[in-house]
Structure formats: C-alpha cells, structure tokens
C-alpha cells in the first residue's frame, strides 16, 4: 500500500515542476538612474582672424567666458543621458578688436556707433537635438535592439548676443556678431563619477584662416 501511494504524489510534483519551468522568468529589474554631483561649467573662447584685403568685415581678436552653476548629468537606461534642466548663465565679453576693411582702393578702420555691452545671457543645453528623431537601431530581422550604453554626453553652448547689440560699421556697410551655438562631446562616466574634466577644441570660424580655441572646464561640487 505504501509503495502505491508514492506514485501519484511523485507525478504531481513532476507536473508542478514542469509547469514552473514553462512559466516566463520575471522581468529584469530596471537599473536606477545614475547622476553626477553638481558641476560648475566654464566655457571660454579665444579667436583670431587676420586682415584680408577682400572687403570682408571681421573681428581680429575675440575673447569671452561664460559660467554655469549646479549642472547635473543623469544617465537613465535606456532613455540615455540628459541634463536635469536647461542651465542659464552669464557670458562676459572680455576682448574684441576689429580688422581694417579694404574698399577696393584704400584700407580704413571700422567704427561703432555706441560702446558694446560686456555682459550677455548664455545657456548650456543638450546637444544634437536631431538625434531624437532618428529611428532606434534594429537587427537584420527588424527587431529593435537595446540601445548601447554611451560613453559621451553631447552638449550645446549657446551665446545670445542679441540682434543688433554687437554691430560695427565700415564704408562698405555694417556687420554684427550674431548668436553663437557650439556643440561638443564630453566624457560621460568621469562626469557621473564626479571627476574634474577639462576639454580643448579648435575654433572654426567663417574663414579658413580664422584660428582659436575653446576651453571647457567641469568643476565638481559636493553631492
């Protein structure tokens, strides 16, 4: 009697075990977002352009610096990297000198009708906005793939000089220093880890002979 009673119980256990094996595994727990400490970000530019006797109006020497405080970077998989919010700061124009202008016959100095201001608003924003419109990566069978973990954060520096605040004149007309957007990449994980980061990039102006350098510093604060 005892030997016969064991069979049904063993069969039931086998069925339950097989059913549990068929049951789908619980979904993987989503990793928590990772955030950096608050950073002070300093962006500066020094640019130079030579005189050219072709009638152009150009700035011989330009320098400014901008500061942004409490900038926090967050990585949230799979959404990607983002700033906690748009950060506004102040830009200080520290140097501007104009090149002479050639009107075809003589070379003359340009002039301004009123002194230029030295303080302007600026913003630090997420760069490469068009990336949001791109389709997610997929394999040859058309199945969307998991986004790769990035190693860089893409940022945009936006200097708002206004429409006519920075205008200068010559015998040929006038020119204005327009709003400026510069996009760049910074290493993501050193920033998430609270490390100081310094970046240098070559400046590219309107003309091939324009030279200069962007200098960008990330100074970490306490979490």
């Amino acid at each position: 009697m005892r030997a016969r009673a064991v069979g049904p119980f063993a069969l039931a256990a086998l069925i339950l075990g097989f059913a549990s094996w068929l049951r789908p595994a619980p979904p993987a727990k989503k990793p928590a977002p990772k955030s950096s400490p608050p950073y002070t970000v300093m962006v500066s530019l020094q640019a130079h352009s030579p005189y050219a006797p072709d009638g152009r109006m150009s700035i011989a020497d330009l320098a400014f610096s901008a500061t942004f405080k409490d900038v926090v970077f967050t990585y949230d998989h799979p959404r990607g990297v983002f700033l906690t919010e748009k950060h506004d700061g102040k830009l200080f124009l520290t140097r501007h000198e104009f090149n002479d202008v050639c009107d075809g016959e003589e070379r003359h100095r340009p002039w301004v009708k009123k002194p230029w201001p030295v303080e302007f608003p600026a913003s630090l924003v997420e760069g490469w906005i068009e990336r949001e419109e791109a389709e997610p990566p997929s394999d040859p069978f058309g199945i969307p793939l998991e986004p790769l973990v990035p190693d860089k954060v893409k940022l945009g520096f936006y200097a708002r000089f206004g429409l006519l605040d920075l205008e200068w004149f010559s015998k040929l007309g006038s020119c204005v220093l327009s709003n400026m957007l510069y996009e760049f990449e910074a290493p993501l994980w050193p920033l998430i880890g609270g490390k100081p980061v310094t970046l240098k990039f070559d400046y590219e102006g309107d003309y091939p002979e324009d030279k200069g350098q962007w200098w960008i510093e990330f100074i970490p604060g306490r979490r």
Side-chain angles (χ1 to χ4, degrees):
M1 295 292 294
R2 185 174 302 169
R4 290 189 191 134
V6 173
F9 285 108
L11 180 60
L14 180 61
I15 293 173
L16 290 174
F18 183 70
S20 64
W21 178 78
L22 291 176
R23 189 180 305 124
K29 186 177 180 181
K30 180 181 176 182
K34 296 180 174 62
S35 295
S36 74
Y39 276 87
T40 296
V41 181
M42 302 180 68
V43 181
S44 63
L45 172 67
Q46 293 188 2
H48 311 277
S49 181
Y51 164 76
D54 57 6
R56 74 179 64 173
M57 295 182 62
S58 58
I59 297 181
D61 194 5
L62 175 69
F64 61 72
S65 62
T67 302
F68 308 93
K69 296 183 178 180
D70 298 326
V71 180
V72 176
F73 303 95
T74 298
Y75 176 70
D76 186 5
H77 186 80
R79 290 178 58 198
V81 187
F82 57 92
L83 298 174
T84 52
E85 60 184 30
K86 172 183 171 183
H87 287 272
D88 293 325
K90 291 184 178 181
L91 180 150
F92 292 94
L93 185 65
T94 55
R95 192 168 63 250
H96 65 280
E97 296 180 7
F98 308 114
N99 276 314
D100 289 351
V101 179
C102 179
D103 60 10
E105 296 181 357
E106 62 178 8
R107 174 175 173 173
H108 65 275
R109 296 292 298 169
W111 64 90
V112 296
K113 291 184 177 180
K114 60 180 180 179
W116 281 13
V118 296
E119 183 178 328
F120 299 88
S123 298
L124 192 67
V125 298
E126 295 182 43
W128 281 268
I129 302 301
E130 65 273 14
R131 74 192 186 281
E132 298 176 356
E133 302 173 358
E135 295 182 0
S138 60
D139 69 5
F141 300 100
I143 302 175
L145 299 176
E146 187 75 7
L148 297 176
V149 177
D151 60 356
K152 296 181 182 294
V153 55
K154 299 175 180 180
L155 301 172
F157 165 73
Y158 185 41
R160 303 198 297 273
F161 292 122
L163 296 177
L164 297 174
D165 289 340
L166 302 185
E167 187 176 19
W168 73 103
F169 299 84
S170 76
K171 295 179 181 179
L172 298 180
S174 65
C175 195
V176 63
L177 181 61
S178 303
N179 294 340
M180 187 180 298
L181 174 63
Y182 178 66
E183 293 186 309
F184 61 94
E185 292 182 314
L188 171 61
W189 298 108
L191 292 175
I192 294 293
K195 304 296 184 182
V197 174
T198 299
L199 304 173
K200 297 179 182 180
F201 302 103
D202 290 336
Y203 167 75
E204 296 181 2
D206 295 331
Y207 304 98
E209 56 268 32
D210 294 347
K211 304 296 180 182
Q213 187 174 73
W214 291 95
W215 184 298
I216 304 168
E217 289 190 87
F218 299 82
I219 305 170
R222 295 182 179 180
R223 292 184 183 271

